[in-house]
Amino acid sequence: MKIFDKAIETRMDRKCTFVALGGGVIGDMCGFAAASFLRGVNFIQIPTTVMAQVDSSVGGKTGVNHPLGKNLIGAFYQPQCVLVDTDTLNTLPDRELASGIAEIIKYGLIRDAPFFEWQEKNMEALLARDAGAFAYAIKRSCENKAEVVSLDELEGGVRATLNLGHTFGHAIETRLGYGEWLHGEAVAAGMAMAADMCVRMGWIDKSLQSRILSLLERAKLPTAPPRHLTTEMFRSTMSLDKKVADGKLKMILLKGSLGNCLFTSDFDPKALDATLAAFCDK
C-alpha cells in the first residue's frame, strides 16, 4: 500500500518503471505492485541477496503473504530485466548467505546432478564468498530456473518442481511467524523432511538422503523444523498450500537417482504421517 500511495501521490503514469533493489521480499512486493498498479507498469529487478539472485528474481513470480499462508496473493509478472551484481553479496550476514544456498542445493536435487556434485566439492568456497564459485553457482541456478520457467511459465506442472521442500517449509514459516526463520532455512528443513518421506516410500535410497543431509549441514542450514511445531500445525497449514488441487495435496518429491523428482498427489499418506511424527514432538 505504501508503494501504491507514493505512486499515486507523485502521479506516476503507465510509462513509469518500478525498480526492486533488495532481497526476495522487496522483489516480490515491488513486482506485485508493478503488476497491479494501473494494471501493469514496467518493472526491473536488482536482487542483492543470494536467495533473490538465484531464485526469486527470475521467472516472474510476485506476491505477498497472508496471515494464513505464504505467497497466497500475487501475480505472474515478468520484469523487463534482472541485474545481478555479485559484489552486493559481500554485505550479506552469514545467515542470509546460507539461506540462499538452500535454493542452490535444490536445483541440484531436482534436475541437475552434476551441479549437486559440484556443490559437494565447492560448498566451503561458497561459504567463504569466493567470487568465482558464486558467479558459477548463480549462473547455473538461473539457467536451471529459466529452462523450467520457459516450459511452464504459469506453473501448470513442471514449474512446480522448483518448490521442492517448500510445502513443509512454508508451513514452518507460517506457523513460526514470517521472518522468524529465513525462507531458505525453512526450505532446507523442508527438503530434509521430503527426503525422509521419499526414503520411507522406497523412492530414494538412504545413501542419497545422507548426501542431502550432509550438504545441508555443511551449508550451515537446519535439517529439521523446531520440535514444538505439531503434526496438526503442519497439516492445517499444508491444507491451504497453493499446490492443493481438488482437495488433494500435491507435493514435489524425489524419486530414483540424484536429479530426478516428480510433482504428484500419488504418494503414500502413511509415509507423510510417519515423517511428521518423526520430526514433531506431537
Side-chain angles (χ1 to χ4, degrees):
M1 293 314 297
K2 284 179 179 175
I3 295 171
F4 292 143
D5 290 347
K6 200 74 178 171
I8 295 164
E9 283 165 13
T10 53
R11 292 181 166 76
M12 288 185 171
D13 61 25
R14 281 187 165 159
K15 289 184 176 171
C16 74
T17 299
F18 285 12
V19 180
L21 175 68
V25 171
I26 296 295
D28 274 17
M29 183 171 60
C30 180
F32 183 50
S36 312
F37 183 61
L38 303 179
R39 297 199 177 95
V41 296
N42 289 332
F43 163 48
I44 291 173
Q45 286 267 26
I46 309 180
T48 60
T49 64
V50 180
M51 174 66 65
Q53 291 181 5
V54 303
D55 190 68
S56 62
S57 70
V58 180
K61 270 192 180 179
T62 71
V64 293
N65 297 330
H66 185 277
L68 293 177
K70 261 191 74 84
N71 300 340
L72 296 180
I73 302 156
F76 291 100
Y77 196 65
Q78 297 293 349
Q80 267 58 41
C81 76
V82 181
L83 296 170
V84 173
D85 181 352
T86 53
D87 284 353
T88 58
L89 302 183
N90 294 327
T91 65
L92 269 190
D94 289 344
R95 192 178 159 202
E96 285 278 1
L97 192 88
S99 172
I101 290 173
E103 297 285 2
I104 295 175
I105 293 171
K106 171 196 77 179
Y107 290 116
L109 284 175
I110 63 169
R111 69 190 312 271
D112 192 347
F115 188 30
F116 187 89
E117 288 158 1
W118 177 88
Q119 291 168 48
E120 288 181 310
K121 296 187 186 85
N122 291 276
M123 185 52 69
E124 282 64 36
L126 289 174
L127 290 176
R129 302 169 195 247
D130 178 89
F134 252 115
Y136 177 77
I138 293 165
K139 177 174 178 286
R140 190 78 172 251
S141 296
C142 288
E143 285 168 349
N144 271 299
K145 182 151 191 184
E147 279 176 28
V148 173
V149 172
S150 68
L151 295 170
D152 178 24
E153 184 182 359
L154 302 184
E155 202 167 73
V158 68
R159 182 170 182 167
T161 61
L162 295 168
N163 288 315
L164 175 70
H166 287 58
T167 307
F168 291 118
H170 283 168
I172 294 167
E173 289 179 272
T174 301
R175 284 300 182 163
L176 287 181
Y178 303 124
E180 201 57 41
W181 270 31
L182 298 176
H183 177 63
E185 293 169 336
V187 167
M191 289 193 291
M193 294 174 79
D196 177 90
M197 187 173 157
C198 295
V199 166
R200 289 174 191 277
M201 293 189 291
W203 286 12
I204 63 171
D205 58 40
K206 270 194 149 333
S207 64
L208 178 53
Q209 182 189 28
S210 298
R211 288 172 71 187
I212 294 166
L213 295 177
S214 171
L215 194 59
L216 291 171
E217 285 163 1
R218 282 170 59 202
K220 310 281 194 290
L221 287 162
T223 54
R227 294 292 312 185
H228 70 270
L229 294 185
T230 65
T231 57
E232 182 45 43
M233 285 177 176
F234 271 100
R235 287 188 179 291
S236 61
T237 309
M238 288 162 73
S239 71
L240 295 171
D241 192 275
K242 296 188 300 301
K243 295 177 291 298
V244 170
D246 301 324
K248 272 191 149 182
L249 176 64
K250 295 183 84 172
M251 297 184 74
I252 298 86
L253 297 166
L254 303 172
K255 190 168 188 179
S257 57
L258 174 64
N260 290 285
C261 70
L262 68 170
F263 177 44
T264 183
S265 58
D266 191 18
F267 55 82
D268 182 357
K270 290 194 177 72
L272 175 57
D273 294 344
T275 291
L276 290 175
F279 282 92
C280 302
D281 276 342
K282 57 184 188 295

